[in-house]
């Protein structure tokens, strides 16, 4: 038999946990479904320096564990599972996981977006140890350091420009013979003397997984086939993000790049709200996701009170 909930939250990143805190404080006894990565993207990083309230920074996993405990203390119920399907065509909405069916009066989607990876084993083991997917988050750690940005679009140009403010040198590595970025962004990067460009090149390996820190990269020139080993302190991967919206494709309006389309945090279906990286193509920051989470829970509360008022009037 299906469980009935007032608010169900999909995702346990900053957006999901914050939505849970607000919904729990409003007495809505939310159910939060963790999804495939409990704690979300910040579990992959080391120190978070830009989340307000921590004078000395805080480790990403510690921040998420504290936020989870806060949501739990206030009355959130957790389900260690992932939503396998949703039916948003009628109210209450139906969420199916491997273990449960949940009928819910409102739904908050906070399933995030995943940074695309190069797929190197060394990349994976050096995340947070010199490999990063976010210059705004981690550029701070690379003052006077040698860094590389991988990618050829606007985000690669933007990451390089952000990094150039602190790093010693920034080299953009791109596999193509021209950039996909807009001319405006390319020109902006070209005006920065610390930034140089390496076209027709791919990163074959990131060194040194054995030491647990980035010390260099192996770059292959696609025209000559030559492989060079270069010193490096940081490698920023900027080859795009994949929003986790597969489940909602036929049910909610999505943007061209697959993010949930919203008006504020309201989706195209009344009673369904979206928060964080799953709807935010632009900022992709933990504090923004948390802010969206609080807005989504407030909207869910208002939606439910209006619904209650309508049904008691009829
Ligand atoms: C390595 C790294 C370092 C970063 N450092 C910083 C930093 O220093 N400062 C900063 O502000 N930002 C940082 N960011 C960005 C920040 O982590 C994200 O902006 C933020 O985590 C987005 O929060 P979110 O809750 O929207 O999504 P996420 O954190 O991506 O969480 C998504 C959640 O959805 C769940 N989920 C997915 N599919 C399903 C499903 N089918 N059913 C149920 N749940 C599902 C996942 O399990 C996960 O819990 C960093 C990102 C990375 C990758």
């Amino acid at each position: 038999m299906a469980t009935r909930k007032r608010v169900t939250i999909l995702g346990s990143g900053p957006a999901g946990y914050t939505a849970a805190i607000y919904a729990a404080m409003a007495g809505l006894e939310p159910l939060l479904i963790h999804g495939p990565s409990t704690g979300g993207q910040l579990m992959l990083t080391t120190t978070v320096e830009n989340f307000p309230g921590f004078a000395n920074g805080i480790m990403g996993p510690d921040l998420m564990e504290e936020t989870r405990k806060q949501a739990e203390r206030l009355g959130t119920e957790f389900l260690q599972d992932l939503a396998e399907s949703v039916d948003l065509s009628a109210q209450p909405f139906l969420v199916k996981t491997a273990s449960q069916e949940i009928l819910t009066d409102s739904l908050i989607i906070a399933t995030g977006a995943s940074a695309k990876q190069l797929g190197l084993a060394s990349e994976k083991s050096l995340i947070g140890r010199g490999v990063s997917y976010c210059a705004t988050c981690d550029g701070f750690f690379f003052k006077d350091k040698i860094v590389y940005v991988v990618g050829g679009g606007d985000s690669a140009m933007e990451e390089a420009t952000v990094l150039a403010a602190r790093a010693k040198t920034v080299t953009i590595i791109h596999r193509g013979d021209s950039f996909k970025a807009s001319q405006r962004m390319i020109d902006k990067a070209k005006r920065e003397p610390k930034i140089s460009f390496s076209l027709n090149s791919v990163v074959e390996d990131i060194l040194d997984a054995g030491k647990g820190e980035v010390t260099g990269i192996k770059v292959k020139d696609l025209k000559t086939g030559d492989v060079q080993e270069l010193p490096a302190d940081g490698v920023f991967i900027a080859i795009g993000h994949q929003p986790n919206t597969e489940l909602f494709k036929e049910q909610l309006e999505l943007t061209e790049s697959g993010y949930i389309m919203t008006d504020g945090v309201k989706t195209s279906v009344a009673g369904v709200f979206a928060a964080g990286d799953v709807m935010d193509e632009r900022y992709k920051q933990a504090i923004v996701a948390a802010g969206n989470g609080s807005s989504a829970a407030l909207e869910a509360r208002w939606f439910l009170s209006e619904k209650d008022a309508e049904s008691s009037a009829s």
Side-chain angles (χ1 to χ4, degrees):
M1 201 175 102
T3 313
R4 184 71 186 256
K5 295 302 296 182
R6 296 282 273 160
V7 183
T8 301
I9 299 162
L10 305 183
S12 51
Y17 282 160
T18 309
I21 289 169
Y22 274 70
M25 287 194 70
L28 294 169
E29 299 175 348
L31 171 70
L32 184 145
I33 302 177
H34 277 113
S37 52
T38 297
Q41 293 172 63
L42 286 185
M43 300 302 282
L44 298 175
T45 196
T46 49
T47 311
V48 177
E49 293 284 2
N50 57 8
F51 201 92
F54 301 96
N56 300 311
I58 181 167
M59 298 298 276
D62 293 346
L63 175 61
M64 296 321 295
E65 179 55 10
E66 286 300 309
T67 319
R68 188 197 63 75
K69 284 189 199 153
Q70 188 178 357
E72 186 172 41
R73 177 176 62 79
L74 293 166
T76 304
E77 186 189 335
F78 294 96
L79 180 60
Q80 191 74 51
D81 208 340
L82 64 105
E84 290 184 343
S85 70
V86 294
D87 182 352
L88 309 179
S89 63
Q91 287 185 10
F93 309 117
L94 177 65
V95 177
K96 284 189 186 171
T97 74
S99 62
Q100 282 197 32
E101 287 192 11
I102 301 124
L103 285 169
T104 186
D105 295 325
S106 65
L107 181 68
I108 297 175
I109 301 169
T111 49
S114 315
K116 289 184 189 159
Q117 302 193 347
L118 298 175
L120 304 169
S122 52
E123 170 192 14
K124 214 172 190 146
S125 66
L126 291 168
I127 292 174
R129 292 176 166 73
V131 170
S132 172
Y133 301 84
C134 174
T136 306
C137 313
D138 297 332
F140 175 82
F141 301 108
F142 293 88
K143 188 170 184 329
D144 300 328
K145 303 283 187 191
I146 300 168
V147 299
Y148 289 83
V149 173
V150 184
D154 276 354
S155 50
M157 299 301 144
E158 176 63 22
E159 297 283 271
T161 313
V162 169
L163 288 165
R166 295 182 73 83
K168 183 174 171 190
T169 61
V170 182
T171 308
I172 302 177
I173 298 184
H174 178 48
R175 61 183 319 130
D177 53 13
S178 63
F179 291 113
K180 285 178 289 168
S182 62
Q183 198 53 48
R184 187 181 66 83
M185 292 300 290
I186 297 171
D187 291 344
K188 193 172 161 196
K190 281 190 171 161
R191 280 198 298 274
E192 173 51 64
K194 285 186 195 168
I195 299 179
S196 57
F197 303 87
S198 175
L199 289 161
N200 300 301
S201 306
V202 289
V203 174
E204 282 220 317
D205 202 5
I206 303 174
L207 311 170
D208 184 337
K211 283 194 180 149
E213 63 178 315
V214 171
T215 58
I217 54 170
K218 278 189 184 170
V219 183
K220 183 176 184 179
D221 182 319
L222 292 173
K223 284 204 162 151
T224 62
D226 291 347
V227 177
Q228 255 189 305
E229 200 172 303
L230 303 165
D233 300 300
V235 182
F236 285 75
I237 320 289
I239 54 174
H241 282 80
Q242 185 64 48
N244 301 319
T245 51
E246 197 59 38
L247 287 183
F248 317 108
K249 265 185 179 156
E250 306 301 325
Q251 313 201 48
L252 293 177
E253 280 180 32
L254 304 182
T255 66
E256 253 178 44
S257 23
Y259 288 78
I260 296 181
M261 198 178 270
T262 54
D263 173 9
V265 292
K266 292 181 183 173
T267 70
S268 52
V269 172
V272 179
F273 306 94
D277 284 12
V278 74
M279 46 73 85
D280 172 14
E281 233 172 308
R282 190 169 172 80
Y283 302 110
K284 295 199 172 65
Q285 291 295 292
I287 190 67
V288 179
N292 293 157
S294 71
S295 306
L298 289 169
E299 290 290 354
R301 174 157 75 83
W302 294 326
F303 169 79
L304 293 170
S305 344
E306 270 178 36
K307 221 173 138 221
D308 292 346
E310 276 167 23
S311 46
S312 55
S314 59

